[in-house]
């Protein structure tokens, strides 16, 4: 997924590169706030996508020492910080952050949601599917039209994670199995591609 070198040191300016120049002030504030929460040992790659006609660099994964964000939810930078927190190494934090981002999905936040669609935690996919309004679907559709190669990679990841984790019952009482037409990842793909066509 990555098209950038591995990073072992990350600062607020680097995190701000996940957002277009139109949002530089909020992005820097959010980036600095999130950078303060990162673990000392850090490693991630970044992937490039287009948002509003500009290239942005989204971190693949961020390793946090704390989730105590020092930005008030009334601050405009808060939503940008929450988008960055969707890249957390902690799945529960990714889920909480995704819920906040989906509460008012903006075009600059779409790459973070699409990245989550290409991951394996079905509960996050369920949350995204449940929160996705018609307007949200159109916003995401505009992104996937601009980022066809990345969207195709995301679809392959959905297929792969379904096949490995959710296609067959593995003997665990907590693991569910889903037919392809039942799996929420494919439902998201179908809904978003319908919005892109329509």
């Amino acid at each position: 997924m990555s098209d950038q070198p591995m990073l072992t040191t990350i600062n607020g300016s680097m995190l701000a590169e996940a957002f277009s120049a139109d949002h530089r002030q909020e992005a820097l504030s959010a980036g600095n706030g999130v950078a303060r929460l990162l673990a000392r040992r850090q490693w991630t790659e970044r992937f490039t996508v287009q948002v509003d006609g500009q290239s942005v660099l989204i971190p693949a994964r961020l390793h946090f020492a704390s989730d105590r964000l020092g930005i008030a939810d009334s601050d405009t930078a808060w939503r940008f910080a929450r988008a960055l927190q969707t890249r957390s190494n902690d799945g529960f934090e990714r889920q909480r952050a995704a819920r906040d981002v989906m509460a008012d999905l903006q075009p600059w936040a779409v790459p973070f949601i699409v990245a989550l669609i290409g991951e394996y935690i079905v509960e996050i996919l369920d949350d995204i599917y449940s929160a996705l309004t018609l307007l949200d679907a159109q916003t995401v559709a505009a992104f996937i039209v601009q980022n066809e190669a990345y969207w195709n990679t995301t679809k392959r990841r959905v297929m792969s994670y379904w096949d490995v984790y959710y296609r067959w019952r593995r003997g665990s009482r907590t693991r569910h199995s889903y037919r392809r037409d039942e799996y929420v990842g494919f439902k998201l793909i179908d809904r978003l591609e319908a919005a892109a066509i329509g």
Side-chain angles (χ1 to χ4, degrees), residues 75-94:
D75 188 321
T76 56
W78 181 79
R79 287 201 184 279
F80 291 81
R82 293 305 278 156
L84 289 167
Q85 287 177 301
T86 67
R87 308 314 307 139
S88 174
N89 59 304
D90 180 326
F92 292 109
E93 180 54 30
R94 287 199 303 277

Side-chain angles (χ1 to χ4, degrees), residues 2 12 24 44 51 57 68 74-75 86 94 96 101-102 109 113 118 131 133 143 148 154 162 167-168 171-172 176:
S2 172
R24 189 71 180 156
T44 193
V51 177
L57 296 167
R68 298 186 187 279
S74 58
D75 188 321
T86 67
R94 287 199 303 277
R96 288 188 294 270
V101 171
M102 287 300 299
I113 296 302
T133 66
F143 171 83
E148 185 177 349
T154 301
W162 167 72
R167 186 175 190 174
W168 309 108
S172 168
H176 298 285

Side-chain angles (χ1 to χ4, degrees), residues 132-192:
L132 195 69
T133 66
L134 178 59
L135 183 59
D136 292 339
Q138 292 168 341
T139 301
V140 177
F143 171 83
I144 65 176
V145 166
Q146 273 191 350
N147 295 277
E148 185 177 349
Y150 179 66
W151 178 242
N152 287 333
T153 298
T154 301
K155 292 192 301 183
R156 286 190 297 273
R157 291 175 65 110
V158 168
M159 173 66 83
S160 179
Y161 284 128
W162 167 72
D163 189 44
V164 171
Y165 292 106
Y166 299 108
R167 186 175 190 174
W168 309 108
R169 192 174 308 276
R170 303 269 189 237
S172 168
R173 293 181 182 185
T174 60
R175 174 122 11 218
H176 298 285
S177 62
Y178 299 92
R179 292 190 324 262
R180 191 182 191 288
D181 63 324
E182 295 174 325
Y183 184 58
V184 67
F186 295 120
K187 291 179 181 181
L188 278 164
I189 289 170
D190 291 346
R191 191 165 171 193
L192 295 171

